[in-house]
Structure formats: structure tokens, C-alpha cells
Amino acid sequence: MYVYDELDRGLVNERVEEFRDQVSRRISGELTEEQFRPLRLMNGLYLQLHAYMLRVAVPYGVLSSTQMRKLARIARVYDRGYGHFTTRQNIQFNWPKLEETPDILAELAEVEMHAIQTSGNCIRNTTADQFAGAAADELEDPRIWCEIIRQWSTFHPEFTFLPRKFKIAVTGAVSDRAAIKVHDIGIVLVQGADGEVGFEIWAGGGLGRTPMIAKKIRDFLPAADLLSYLEAMLRVYNRFGRRDNKYKARIKILVHEIGADAYRDAVEAEWADIRDGALALPEQEISRIREAFTPPAFEVLDTASTAFEARKFEDRGFARWVASNVRRHKVAGYAIANISLKPAGGIPGDATAEQMDAVADYADRWSFGELRVAHEQNLVLPHVRQDDLYDLWLALGSVELDAPNIGTLGDIIACPGMDYCSLATARSIPIAQQISERFADLERLHDIGSVSLNISGCINACGHHHVGNIGILGVDKKGEEFYQVTLGGQADENASIGKIIGPGFASDAIVDAIETIIETYLSVRQDDESFIGTLNRLGQTPFKEALYGTA
Amino acid sequence: MALEIITANRLGDGLVIFLTADGWSARIDEAAVSESKDATAALLARAEADAGLVVGPYEITVEQQPDGSLHPVKYREALRTRGPSVRTDLGYQAA
Ligand code: HEM
Ligand code: SF4
């Protein structure tokens, strides 16, 4: 994977020392909170309901085992023994002390990690397909391009104070696992006429108060032009994006208000001026970064392993875990192993320090020391030999990380909600816990099959509720927690925004309502039709009738 | 008027605290209680003078139980006095 060069290292260390100085000036009273707040936010330190919260960047979701051990150490030494993996492939610590944050950042810098670009109106951490470099359906490893974007965007002087935060996502595969159509800019690696790799460019997606699916801006962008084109896109946004109203400041509003065609024309005009300038990517620079993502030393193996097949035959639990958590790898004999952070009744995305350490060990033993964070708030061992899956599964069971529920109703995405977040209007975690418990029975869970369920504790939509097949939004109704349900959202290549099904539900009725929706699906589905397939075929009517009656 | 107290987060560790008669406390029951607009404004002014020690002071409405204990009216504030409802081993509720 990419290793920092001296420039990065210098920048990160400088930032840590600068922040140490700022913290001590705040504590001594030299800086007021008004002066200090933007400085701490620039270093990923928020103030939440109960304490500070530190958001640590996991660039494009890639972690080494060494980095994971460091996160475990931070959880143990500076926090309360756990961390929360987020839908932006980052990790949040919920109890750091201000006084100790410079030490945390210094420890992170030792393993080339930081909290830069995790806050503020800058280009945030670029996210990617969590199976990057491993997926069987991948054209090229998207991390190469994420890294190029990272280097360009970090501390970009022109784009440090944008109208609003800015999020870019990249996928190199046919199946979109990075939800690129709900990002400010979405990038899909595609093949040009002569087989060369280039990009399809999307813009103006986003959730929050005004959810929108991105519009396609360009069918094919040559690889060398990536940065000049992004620069032009950002410039047009920076120039015309609204600064008068925080809720209208995102690029989605601009693209929506002037239209995708007008936006594209403005970008192309801007681009014409800078295309052949300093941002054109020389082939040797692309090769240099590409080399940093040279695949690990895979063994030459047979596609099928008889030992692996035999294990599945002998052990039903293992077979079930393989069916739900293991995905096809691009290299024969290897597999992608998803580690669910969603035990029935658990807190989605939370992992203890012990679990982080254990997973780091498994990565060393079975996955070339590589780990990934998925935006679904799970972890991934990207390169496991099929023959090692059984031992891995047993090991995961010993630390309660073997839930066989990836992609099922148990794999709920949920933001921290009012249990931690100062912006929340309702709790989200307890609803996730009750639903995963209600559907804990594995026979039933797997019979229901593939369903995404997303929960947000307020309209900011950190839990991506609009793009869940089932979305739940927690609101405050006269001081009571109330939950609004949307159906039909999708975050993949068929991205769509869910529609509100009807009046919301009180906290003691929401889980029953979800069960009613699922039972309705089971009663009307055809053959092996998925939940979203049934919903798309029949529309909301049968679900509405089941929930609210026919009157 | 409803009873009001002043809450904030402590600068150094970010934990929830309440303004008392002569300082700050992690225990809500020790909070200085206001029964009037003017008294709340005076408490807030005192809290803001402590900007070197605390972050973001604001007033919240509470109810007083017969035993003298104070309970925030809003659920959000009740959570702040206890800790996450989903981790009862953490926050003040764990002590
Ligand atoms: C607890 C501290 C958090 C705060 C204060 C916070 C705040 C916000 C706000 C204000 C927005 C809306 C921004 C806008 O529309 O311009 C937002 C969006 C978002 N947040 Fe958070 N968030 C927090 C935690 C999280 C967590 C834990 C996750 C992941 C589980 C997350 C993922 C996201 C995502 C993906 C969006 C983008 C939605 C979009 O496309 O607009 N956030 N957040
Ligand atoms: S959706 Fe709202 S409640 Fe949930 S983490 Fe985001 S800001 Fe907080």
C-alpha cells in the first residue's frame, strides 16, 4: 500500500506540534473558544453530548495491521476501550480528553495517520470501494486514483474554505460499493475506446436535508486529465456555489439550480484553460503511485479448493458465514472476507480494542497485513486464501466477530444518534439493536435475504437513511422520539432516494412496523425476488396497506 | 417560571458539568437553580465568565423532585447527565 513520502510526514508532524501549541494556548486562556474551535475541528476534534469526539481519517478505508493496532492502543490508553467505524470509512473515538489529543495525534503520526480533512469545509477524505485491489469485478484498483486525489486535495490552498464540505468517492468496479452517486463528486473507472483506463464523472449527489442523486457530467475523462478536471469542477462550484445559506451551499444545490448541462458547460470552459497546465498527470507520476499499490505476493493456487469445499459441507455454520460474508476475489484461490461489526443486539460499527488487536493479528496471519473499513461500518480482510477461511472463521468466533449477516437485515447502518451526537433529534442505536435482535434468527434472516436498512438520528443523514432499502429517520415530535420510514432507497449503481411510506412511528412501534414491512414482502415476493425487487415491482401500496390499513 | 440551571462541557476533558453556587460540578443535583429570567441571565453571565474553564454554557429546564434532586425536562439533557443509553457502563451512570 501507499507509504508516506517525506513531504507527507513533515506536514503531519508539523500539524501535530502546531495543534499541541494551540491546545496549550487554549488551556492557558490565551485563546478563546471562538478562536480555538475552528482549529480543533481542523484536527478532527469535535465536542459531542458527553465529551469530545476525535475523528481519525482512514484514507479510502485502507488500514494496515500496524495502524489497526495503533487504533486499538488509542482506544485502550486514551479512550474507553472502543471505537466507532463510520459510513465515511473513518473511525471515531468518543471520550478523548482535549489535553491528551496532541499525544493521540502524535501516536497516530507514528503510523502515518492523522485527523486532517475529517472536518471543515474542505475536500474531505476520499472514499472508495472497500474491496479495492481485490474485487473480481474490478477494472483497476481505485486506490491509485484516491491517492492521487488525496495528494492534490490535502491542504489545497484554493479549496480549504469551500462554501461547504466536499466529498469524493471512487469505484473501479461494475458494482458500486462506494455509493458514488450520493457524493459531491463520484468517479467510476471505465475503459476507453482503446482499452485505456479513464473515468466517468458524476456530480451533485448528496443526502442530508435535500437528498439528491448525482448527475453524469462526463462519459469518459482520460486518466491524465483527472486533476485538472476536478480542479475545474471545484472552481466552478467555489465560484458559483451559494454561501448565503448553509443548507444550500452544497454542489448538489448548484447542479440542481443551474442544471447539469449548464454546470458541465461551465466546467468544460474552465477546464479548457487549465487542462494542459501544471495539473496534467504525467505517465511517470501515475506509474509511481500505481507501484505503491502493487498487489501482494499472491500464491499461484487452483480456483477451487477441495479442503474449503469439504469444510463447508461438514460445518453448516461455516457454510452460512461463507455464503453471507465471503466475496469473490480477482485472484484464483483467494477470497475477500467481510467481518461484520453488527452482532445481533450490538452497536453497529463499534469494535473493542481487543477486537481491533485480534483483527490486526488475523490480517497479519491471513491477509498480507491488510485491512479495509467498509462504508457499511464493517471491516474487511481483502486477501484471504480460501484454504485459510475456516481457521479465520474460528478465530473470529473467539472474539465475537463472526456474525454471518453481511448484506442482510442484520447488517444495519446507523449513525450514533442522540446517544452521542449533539445534533441528534432522536436515538438511532437502540432502534438498530432492537431490529437486529428481532431478526436474530439466522434461518429467518437468510430467508429474508438481501435488504439494506439505514438509520439516522437527524436530517443530516449520517446513517444514509435515504438510500437504505428501508430507511429510518429519527425525529423529535413534541419531545418524543419518533421515526419516519422511507422505502425504496438504493446506494449502489441503481442509486435512488427512498420515499416516505406514511406517518411516522413512536419508538415502541417502529420495530413492529419494520417487521410488518418484512412480513408483507415475504408474503408477496415471487421466487427468489429480493426485497427491493418486490418493492420495485409492486410499489408501496401493499406495504402501506399492511402498515396503515386500506381505509 | 420553570426551573432553570446552567450546563456546559469542561474544557479539559469535555465532560458534562453544571454551574453551582460557587463553581462547577459533575452532579446535576448540586446545580444552582434559577426561578426567574433575571436569575438565569445572572447565572449565564457567571458561567460565561468561566470561558477559560468550560465550553458552550447554556440554560436547561429542570424539574425538582420532592427529594430535592433535579431532572432535566428534555431527554437529550437527561442523557447528558447519565451517559449513552446504549452503554450503561459509560458516563456518569456507570459510577
Ligand atoms: C457525531 C458527530 C457527527 C456530527 C456532528 C456530524 C455532522 C454532520 C452534518 C452537520 C452533516 C450534514 C452536512 C451537510 O449536509 O452539509 C453530516 C453529513 C454526513 N455525515 Fe455526519 N456527523 C457526525 C457523525 C457522523 C458519523 C458517525 C458518520 C458515520 C456513521 C457520519 C457520516 C456522515 C455522512 C456520510 C454524511 C453525508 C451525508 C450527505 O451526503 O450529505 N457522520 N454530518
Ligand atoms: S445523522 Fe444527525 S444524529 Fe446522526 S450522527 Fe449525523 S448529525 Fe448526528
Side-chain angles (χ1 to χ4, degrees):
Chain A
M1 62 189 263
Y2 178 76
V3 177
Y4 270 30
D5 59 27
E6 285 306 317
L7 180 70
D8 290 315
R9 201 185 310 273
L11 280 176
V12 170
N13 287 334
E14 245 171 62
R15 269 293 273 273
V16 171
E17 288 320 306
E18 191 180 45
F19 189 54
R20 192 183 296 283
D21 178 56
Q22 290 159 346
V23 168
S24 66
R25 280 160 59 207
R26 172 68 182 111
I27 289 172
S28 74
E30 198 181 316
L31 291 179
T32 65
E33 186 61 20
E34 289 67 45
Q35 293 166 324
F36 180 67
R37 188 171 173 273
L39 304 175
R40 73 164 154 74
L41 287 174
M42 266 156 60
N43 287 284
L45 192 65
Y46 291 72
L47 187 62
Q48 287 302 299
L49 267 194
H50 312 289
Y52 289 102
M53 178 274 279
L54 181 69
R55 183 180 291 163
V56 178
V58 180
Y60 33 94
V62 176
L63 279 177
S64 69
S65 53
T66 311
Q67 291 172 324
M68 185 63 110
R69 281 194 194 94
K70 182 61 90 177
L71 296 177
R73 180 182 144 78
I74 286 164
R76 194 176 287 121
V77 175
Y78 300 99
D79 209 90
R80 311 241 171 134
Y82 70 107
H84 178 72
F85 288 97
T86 78
T87 46
R88 302 214 69 258
Q89 298 180 305
N90 290 327
I91 183 169
Q92 297 187 172
F93 294 105
N94 290 306
W95 308 89
K97 297 187 172 104
L98 175 65
E99 299 135 337
E100 292 182 350
T101 305
D103 293 338
I104 301 177
L105 295 178
E107 289 219 21
L108 287 169
E110 286 169 16
V111 296
E112 299 172 348
M113 296 188 81
H114 56 73
I116 295 163
Q117 283 179 300
T118 63
S119 167
N121 294 332
C122 59
I123 303 173
R124 299 288 188 90
N125 180 27
T126 297
T127 49
D129 183 352
Q130 65 270 25
F131 299 161
D137 64 346
E138 172 175 287
L139 180 63
E140 183 176 59
D141 190 337
R143 293 175 300 167
I144 299 162
W145 305 101
C146 293
E147 179 52 32
I148 288 173
I149 294 169
R150 188 192 70 79
Q151 295 192 9
W152 159 76
S153 67
T154 303
F155 305 134
H156 193 305
E158 194 178 328
F159 306 140
T160 308
F161 298 100
L162 292 165
R164 202 73 181 84
K165 57 178 156 181
F166 203 90
K167 300 175 181 177
I168 304 176
V170 187
T171 176
V174 180
S175 305
D176 176 11
R177 288 172 287 263
I180 67 123
K181 290 183 193 169
V182 292
H183 284 76
D184 296 289
I185 293 180
I187 301 176
V188 188
L189 271 64
V190 291
Q191 215 151 22
D194 301 322
E196 78 280 20
V197 171
F199 313 99
E200 188 180 278
I201 305 284
W202 295 71
L207 302 173
R209 200 164 296 255
T210 324
M212 285 183 187
I213 300 299
K215 300 271 190 310
K216 203 203 276 181
I217 298 299
R218 212 166 207 282
D219 288 319
F220 187 80
L221 180 73
D225 296 325
L226 179 64
L227 295 186
S228 59
Y229 202 79
L230 290 181
E231 181 112 348
M233 291 178 82
L234 263 298
R235 272 199 190 160
V236 170
Y237 162 60
N238 206 13
R239 196 175 310 143
F240 299 113
R242 290 176 58 164
R243 290 174 196 260
D244 58 321
N245 177 338
K246 172 175 154 176
Y247 300 117
K248 302 209 159 168
R250 299 290 292 260
I251 190 177
K252 62 190 173 190
I253 305 292
L254 176 68
V255 172
H256 185 77
E257 282 184 353
I258 69 173
D261 291 335
Y263 176 71
R264 177 187 306 111
D265 292 345
V267 169
E268 297 275 336
E270 179 69 34
W271 185 48
D273 290 340
I274 59 172
R275 176 172 186 180
D276 299 316
L279 285 171
L281 278 166
E283 186 48 45
Q284 86 203 62
E285 175 61 9
I286 299 175
S287 310
R288 186 179 74 85
I289 304 270
R290 194 175 266 133
E291 254 164 52
F293 294 97
T294 304
F298 292 117
E299 291 167 47
V300 178
L301 302 170
D302 289 336
T303 309
S305 150
T306 42
F308 169 60
E309 294 305 325
R311 286 294 193 190
K312 280 197 289 184
F313 188 72
E314 287 158 13
D315 193 324
R316 215 158 149 251
F318 176 59
R320 178 135 58 194
W321 179 78
V322 170
S324 61
N325 292 34
V326 174
R327 296 289 182 274
R328 265 184 61 217
H329 198 283
K330 59 162 78 164
V331 175
Y334 283 84
I336 300 169
N338 288 282
I339 301 173
S340 168
L341 297 181
K342 320 283 176 69
I347 298 178
D350 275 12
T352 65
E354 292 67 37
Q355 289 175 323
M356 291 185 223
D357 272 335
V359 167
D361 288 347
Y362 307 156
D364 279 339
R365 211 174 315 163
W366 294 306
S367 185
F368 300 92
E370 281 193 39
L371 285 152
R372 304 291 166 72
V373 182
H375 86 264
E376 291 89 347
Q377 302 177 287
N378 293 313
L379 298 175
V380 179
L381 292 182
H383 311 300
V384 184
R385 291 190 335 173
Q386 285 181 11
D387 280 348
D388 292 332
L389 285 169
Y390 188 71
D391 289 342
L392 169 64
W393 175 68
L394 290 177
L396 288 170
S398 73
V399 288
E400 292 172 37
L401 286 176
D402 61 344
N405 60 7
I406 296 290
T408 70
L409 193 54
D411 190 4
I412 297 170
I413 294 178
C415 80
M418 199 183 274
D419 281 297
Y420 292 97
C421 180
S422 55
L423 302 176
T425 42
R427 288 176 297 168
S428 18
I429 297 169
I431 305 303
Q433 291 177 306
Q434 289 165 42
I435 294 172
S436 68
E437 222 144 54
R438 179 75 64 95
F439 293 94
D441 180 78
L442 291 173
E443 295 296 337
R444 185 176 178 212
L445 193 65
H446 286 250
D447 177 44
I448 295 164
S450 155
V451 188
S452 60
L453 192 150
N454 297 45
I455 311 176
S456 303
C458 82
I459 195 65
N460 285 324
C462 300
H464 286 181
H465 64 278
H466 303 103
V467 289
N469 294 169
I470 301 174
I472 300 179
L473 166 64
V475 297
D476 175 306
K477 195 172 163 189
K478 299 195 185 95
E480 296 294 323
E481 293 170 300
F482 228 69
Y483 296 90
Q484 218 171 60
V485 177
T486 48
L487 293 185
Q490 277 178 274
D492 57 11
E493 59 280 10
N494 304 312
S496 65
I497 304 290
K499 293 193 184 62
I500 295 175
I501 177 91
F505 299 89
S507 52
D508 59 3
I510 180 66
V511 181
D512 288 339
I514 299 304
E515 188 161 30
T516 301
I517 291 167
I518 294 297
E519 289 302 327
T520 305
Y521 153 63
L522 292 176
S523 68
V524 297
R525 74 173 165 192
Q526 290 176 346
D527 309 321
D528 54 1
E529 194 175 49
S530 67
F531 176 81
I532 195 74
T534 300
L535 183 67
N536 287 343
R537 178 171 56 86
L538 295 175
Q540 292 208 337
T541 310
F543 300 95
K544 249 190 198 140
E545 284 176 3
L547 284 171
Y548 306 106
T550 40
Chain B
M1 191 187 97
L3 303 183
E4 289 183 333
I5 62 171
I6 307 299
T7 183
N9 291 72
R10 190 153 54 205
L11 177 68
D13 59 11
L15 297 188
V16 173
I17 45 176
F18 302 92
L19 186 71
T20 66
D22 54 3
W24 293 86
S25 168
R27 300 173 42 116
I28 187 172
D29 293 343
E30 293 172 2
V33 178
S34 149
E35 296 185 38
S36 73
K37 259 197 156 121
D38 289 347
T40 299
L43 287 178
L44 253 186
R46 255 186 62 211
E48 273 154 16
D50 279 342
L53 300 172
V54 307
V55 186
Y58 60 98
E59 70 273 25
I60 60 170
T61 308
V62 294
E63 281 165 356
Q64 193 151 33
Q65 302 300 304
D67 66 358
S69 64
L70 299 173
H71 293 260
V73 171
K74 283 202 172 148
Y75 185 65
R76 174 187 198 272
E77 296 305 327
L79 272 178
R80 285 179 77 246
T81 67
R82 299 199 286 260
S85 73
V86 294
R87 285 293 302 267
T88 49
D89 58 326
L90 297 175
Y92 294 133
Q93 62 198 347

